């Protein structure tokens, strides 16, 4: 990305100001561009473009940390931001392990940017939104209404340095297409949504996005309630992404320290069936959140969370790694220069168990395929209890037999992890940042409507 050395000037200036203030510290400089276009009935609903540019600064002194940010990266702007952060320090309880992160470097060679994206004109972006809508409408006459067909992109970079000698930077780009629509048959309405992303607009697949959204809506038409039963259940990759994405906070080391996780004190113990291995990977090619380092400058990595059923580790930032005498995992996330780092996931991946999606479905003689769930917020990362509404298909002999709705799936995450019978090799990444594969659960209770 073209930056003309601006980031180095901002980092150097901020470090000089930090040293003049006699504090240890860190500067995170962000310069990104975002744009979007949405259409309905091929007519433009909105077109937007914005720039996010500014610096977030953390200061460290005697176990205390203060944070401030500013869009003004002039000497005066940075100096005032440092002064605001320093003014916070007397009001913060000291933690001996709150220190400036030690520099660490690991080479990164995963494609993360399409350098041609900044040159794409708004007319091409509007055209992409229109193409997604056209593909959905052409797929079926039952698609009667499009709520929004949208294209969005982001490109730019962030750079981080601290008084301990750290200096890292990255550039990135992402192009995202999405659509939400309504299918109608007789007097029944059903909605469908889909999205896709790539490094650049040329790699987006408007037909795949439009057809998937249309299929999701149409497949729900005529769905009937299901009877209560205990049966095999197949989870769609997007459902798996939602469940494990919500459960992820139970692996955050700060929640372990605060006793706010069902996995507190469980490291080294069996928490899932032996075929379950769960990994957080910050460098997996093709994922939304892939990058060379986290919000503190720690290199991202592949972190094993559950290894063959046993809890192998937690997700750390610099502070929790020091406190728990563990290794940093590159999971200090930022929402941009406006926020200080907090622990989060990169990309969660369930290790496949050596079966294709087709083969996995073929093993189900009688069962239920869950294509969507509602109520992910009910997953309690402390107790593990959950209660989800669901729609999907009743399955017979490996095939989708009839659409079903008003299903309920409730229980405890530990029981769900213990019921995993297979994980397919169809790993899919979503624009939300999540990922998932088709998963088979055995002997799972489904309540009917």
């Amino acid at each position: 990305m073209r930056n003309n050395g601006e980031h180095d000037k901002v980092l150097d200036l901020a470090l000089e100001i930090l040293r003049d203030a006699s504090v240890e510290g860190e500067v995170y400089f962000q310069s990104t561009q975002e744009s979007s276009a949405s259409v309905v009935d091929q007519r433009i609903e909105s077109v937007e473009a914005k720039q996010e540019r500014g610096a977030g600064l953390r200061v460290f002194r005697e176990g205390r940390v203060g944070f401030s940010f500013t869009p003004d990266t002039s000497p005066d702007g940075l100096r005032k931001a440092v002064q605001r952060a320093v003014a916070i320090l007397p009001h913060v309880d000291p933690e001996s392990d709150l220190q400036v992160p030690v520099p660490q470097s690991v080479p990164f060679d995963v494609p993360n940017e399409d350098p041609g994206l900044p040159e794409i004109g708004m007319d091409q972006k509007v055209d992409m939104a229109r193409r997604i809508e056209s593909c959905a409408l052409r797929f079926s006459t039952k698609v009667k209404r499009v709520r929004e067909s949208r294209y969005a992109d982001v490109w730019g970079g962030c750079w981080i340095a601290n008084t301990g000698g750290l200096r890292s930077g990255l550039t990135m780009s992402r192009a995202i297409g999405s659509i939400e629509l309504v299918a109608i048959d007789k007097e029944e309405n059903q909605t469908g949504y889909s999205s896709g992303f790539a490094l650049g607009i040329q790699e987006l697949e408007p037909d795949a996005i439009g057809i998937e959204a249309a299929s999701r809506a149409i497949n729900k038409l005529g769905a009937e309630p299901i009877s209560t039963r205990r049966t095999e259940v197949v989870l769609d990759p997007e459902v798996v992404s939602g469940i494990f994405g919500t459960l992820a906070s139970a692996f955050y080391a700060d929640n372990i320290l605060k006793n706010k996780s069902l996995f507190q004190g469980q490291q080294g113990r069996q928490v899932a069936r032996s075929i379950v291995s769960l990994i957080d990977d910050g460098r997996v090619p093709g994922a939304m959140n892939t990058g060379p380092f986290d919000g503190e400058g720690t290199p991202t990595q592949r972190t094993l969370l559950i290894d063959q059923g046993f809890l192998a580790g937690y997700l750390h930032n610099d502070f929790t790694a020091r406190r728990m005498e563990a290794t940093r995992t590159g999971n200090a996330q930022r929402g941009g220069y406006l926020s200080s780092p907090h622990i989060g996931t990169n990309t969660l991946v369930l290790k496949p168990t050596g079966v294709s999606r087709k083969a996995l479905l073929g093993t189900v003689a009688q069962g239920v395929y869950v294509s969507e769930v509602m109520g992910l917020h009910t997953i309690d990362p402390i107790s593990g209890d959950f209660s989800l509404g669901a729609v999907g298909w009743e399955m017979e002999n490996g095939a989708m037999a009839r659409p079903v709705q008003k299903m309920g799936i409730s229980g405890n995450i530990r029981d769900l992890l213990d019921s995993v019978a297979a994980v397919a090799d169809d790993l899919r990444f979503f624009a939300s940042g999540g990922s998932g594969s088709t998963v088979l659960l055995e002997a799972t209770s489904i309540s009917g409507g």
Side-chain angles (χ1 to χ4, degrees):
M1 184 196 132
R2 291 167 296 186
N3 188 267
N4 300 321
E6 178 193 26
H7 54 277
D8 279 330
K9 295 177 183 176
V10 173
L11 298 185
D12 289 339
L13 180 58
L15 291 177
E16 181 180 341
I17 292 170
L18 287 166
R19 294 188 178 105
D20 288 346
S22 300
V23 291
E24 298 295 318
E26 163 198 276
V27 54
Y28 177 94
F29 175 57
Q30 175 192 357
S31 179
T32 54
Q33 306 275 344
E34 298 179 29
S35 68
S36 66
S38 65
V39 303
V40 173
D41 296 333
Q42 298 293 291
R43 292 181 297 184
I44 298 173
E45 288 284 301
S46 68
V47 175
E48 298 178 355
K50 68 175 182 178
Q51 180 184 34
E52 292 281 348
R53 182 186 178 283
L57 295 114
R58 288 198 299 172
V59 299
F60 297 77
R61 179 185 283 163
E62 298 174 348
R64 293 180 169 89
V65 61
F67 172 77
S68 184
F69 61 86
T70 178
D72 180 2
T73 56
S74 69
D76 189 50
L78 292 171
R79 187 172 294 105
K80 288 179 178 176
V82 170
Q83 290 170 350
R84 288 194 295 271
V86 170
I88 293 172
L89 294 178
H91 309 286
V92 179
D93 290 333
E95 295 276 4
S96 60
D97 295 307
L98 274 173
Q99 301 176 28
V100 172
V102 174
Q104 185 181 354
S105 179
V106 176
F108 180 79
D109 57 3
V110 179
N112 203 37
E113 176 186 23
D114 179 349
L117 186 59
E119 310 304 324
I120 299 298
M122 188 56 77
D123 55 342
Q124 292 174 268
K125 301 175 184 184
V126 172
D127 182 62
M128 176 57 72
R130 286 175 171 152
R131 289 171 62 190
I132 294 170
E133 183 182 56
S134 295
C135 292
L137 292 170
R138 282 201 305 269
F139 181 70
S140 172
T141 56
K142 293 180 180 178
V143 178
K144 301 294 187 183
R145 188 168 68 248
V146 172
R147 292 180 174 175
E148 182 184 47
S149 182
R150 177 181 170 86
Y151 168 84
D153 57 27
V154 58
W155 71 91
C158 63
W159 297 264
I160 185 169
N162 68 31
T163 52
L166 169 73
R167 185 176 288 251
S168 297
L170 69 86
T171 55
M172 55 76 69
S173 69
R174 298 290 187 274
I176 305 159
S178 63
I179 186 170
E180 182 178 9
L181 51 77
V182 179
I184 301 176
D185 187 33
K186 300 176 183 176
E187 296 182 354
E188 182 184 1
N189 297 352
Q190 293 288 356
T191 60
Y193 173 85
S194 180
S195 63
F197 72 96
L199 299 184
I201 191 171
Q202 307 298 342
E203 290 74 42
L204 273 183
E205 299 179 353
D207 50 348
I209 298 169
I211 290 172
E212 182 175 70
S215 298
R216 285 182 178 276
I218 293 167
N219 287 342
K220 290 188 284 186
L221 292 170
E224 297 182 352
I226 194 172
S227 60
T228 297
R229 65 189 67 177
R230 190 170 178 82
T231 187
E232 289 186 311
V233 172
V234 180
L235 302 180
D236 183 88
E238 193 156 8
V239 172
V240 172
S241 172
I243 291 175
F244 281 87
T246 306
L247 177 63
S249 64
F251 294 96
Y252 297 175
D254 54 348
N255 284 335
I256 300 298
L257 289 170
K258 297 171 185 174
N259 198 20
K260 292 183 177 180
S261 166
L262 75 158
F263 295 133
Q264 199 275 339
Q266 297 296 304
Q267 189 159 2
R269 297 182 180 178
Q270 187 159 11
V271 296
R273 183 172 284 192
S274 60
I275 66 167
V276 175
S277 290
L278 180 67
I279 300 124
D280 177 79
D281 195 337
R283 299 185 170 219
V284 59
M288 191 71 179
N289 295 332
T290 288
F293 57 83
D294 69 2
E296 294 179 323
T298 300
T300 52
Q301 63 176 38
R302 190 173 187 269
T303 301
L304 199 52
L305 299 174
I306 298 177
D307 183 16
Q308 299 181 65
F310 288 83
L311 188 68
Y314 304 118
L315 300 175
H316 288 279
N317 59 13
D318 186 79
F319 167 73
T320 62
R322 290 178 189 270
R323 175 59 58 89
M324 299 175 73
E325 298 182 344
T327 302
R328 291 182 291 176
T329 58
N331 287 94
Q333 308 289 349
R334 289 186 191 247
Y337 77 93
L338 299 171
S339 64
S340 60
H342 61 276
I343 296 179
T345 56
N346 292 302
T347 302
L348 286 176
V349 177
L350 271 173
K351 187 177 179 181
T353 57
V355 62
S356 68
R357 173 182 165 89
K358 181 178 180 180
L360 183 151
L361 295 177
T363 65
V364 182
Q366 294 284 334
V368 170
Y369 186 94
V370 176
S371 59
E372 294 181 29
V373 292
M374 290 73 73
L376 284 170
H377 65 281
T378 67
I379 298 176
D380 186 339
I382 301 176
S383 68
D385 293 337
F386 67 90
S387 179
L388 305 174
V391 299
W393 292 80
E394 192 165 13
M395 297 184 65
E396 292 178 357
N397 300 319
M400 308 299 174
R402 60 192 68 84
V404 292
Q405 61 177 344
K406 298 182 179 178
M407 295 185 289
I409 307 174
S410 61
N412 189 277
I413 287 294
R414 294 287 294 270
D415 295 329
L416 184 147
L417 291 171
D418 200 44
S419 67
V420 174
V423 180
D425 59 1
D426 59 342
L427 178 63
R428 181 177 172 188
F429 304 115
F430 298 99
S432 63
S435 67
S437 307
T438 304
V439 168
L440 173 63
L441 307 178
E442 67 176 18
T444 299
S445 296
I446 296 285
S447 60

